[in-house]
Amino acid sequence: MNYRNNAAILIIFILMSLFSCAGQRPSTLGVKDARLAPCPASPNCVSSDDTDSRHSTSPFQLIVPPGEAWRAVRTAVASLPRTKIVSETENYLHVECSSPVFGFVDDLELHLRMPQNLIATRSAARLGYSDFGVNRRRVENLRSLLRQQGVVR
């Protein structure tokens, strides 16, 4: 019995590894009307532009000049494991973050808002319903890293 369970788990693992868990890149990514896209109803997304407690997170409040902060953010994001910068402008960054085992892809977006002296954030899973807090932890870990560098409050 134990052998069958282990074999079934192994087969599932192999099949999941063979099939892409990346999902399709959402068409809603990017900045529209000076805001990042709203989170879906599912709990697998956080955004500083959302106001409900389930999805809301604070933006990164800058304590250095915006240009300096933006360079630090780009460097910090590029140093994160399993991340790939997909698109970048002078005030927007889209990053794909992959999970270590199955390669599930989440989309991390950062939007520099110079007049407000902040960086808006959004991190969302492409697939599934729950992310077990992965996206919130990603944003908070990045915030912590930038705090240690003296870039954000």
Side-chain angles (χ1 to χ4, degrees):
M1 183 73 175
N2 194 15
Y3 173 76
R4 283 187 179 166
N5 288 340
N6 290 341
I9 290 170
L10 181 61
I11 289 170
I12 290 170
F13 179 76
I14 290 170
L15 289 174
M16 290 294 290
S17 297
L18 293 175
F19 296 101
S20 173
C21 295
Q24 290 189 344
R25 187 174 295 148
S27 61
T28 57
L29 296 176
V31 180
K32 293 173 185 74
D33 298 323
R35 297 178 62 82
L36 298 169
C39 285
S42 56
N44 59 4
C45 174
V46 295
S47 173
S48 59
D49 285 342
D50 266 283
T51 56
D52 67 283
S53 61
R54 190 176 194 185
H55 298 109
S56 175
T57 188
S58 299
F60 297 165
Q61 295 292 329
L62 307 180
I63 56 176
V64 298
E68 181 182 334
W70 194 241
R71 284 187 297 279
V73 165
R74 193 213 180 279
T75 300
V77 166
S79 74
L80 296 174
R82 299 174 311 282
T83 60
K84 178 178 119 183
I85 295 175
V86 177
S87 66
E88 177 180 8
T89 69
E90 69 278 350
N91 68 349
Y92 175 79
L93 193 62
H94 170 225
V95 181
E96 291 178 342
C97 307
S98 301
S99 66
V101 177
F102 293 118
F104 289 107
V105 175
D106 296 339
D107 294 288
L108 172 64
E109 297 179 277
L110 301 156
H111 180 219
L112 175 64
R113 298 179 182 167
M114 285 192 225
Q116 294 98 351
N117 207 38
L118 63 81
I119 296 174
T121 64
R122 182 179 188 275
S123 188
R126 287 187 183 173
L127 299 174
Y129 181 76
S130 177
D131 66 349
F132 304 101
V134 168
N135 285 290
R136 185 170 299 280
R137 281 192 303 277
R138 176 179 297 116
V139 169
E140 294 309 319
N141 288 340
L142 182 56
R143 182 190 319 275
S144 178
L145 181 63
L146 294 169
R147 258 190 203 131
Q148 291 171 5
Q149 296 175 6
V151 175
V152 302
R153 284 180 238 241

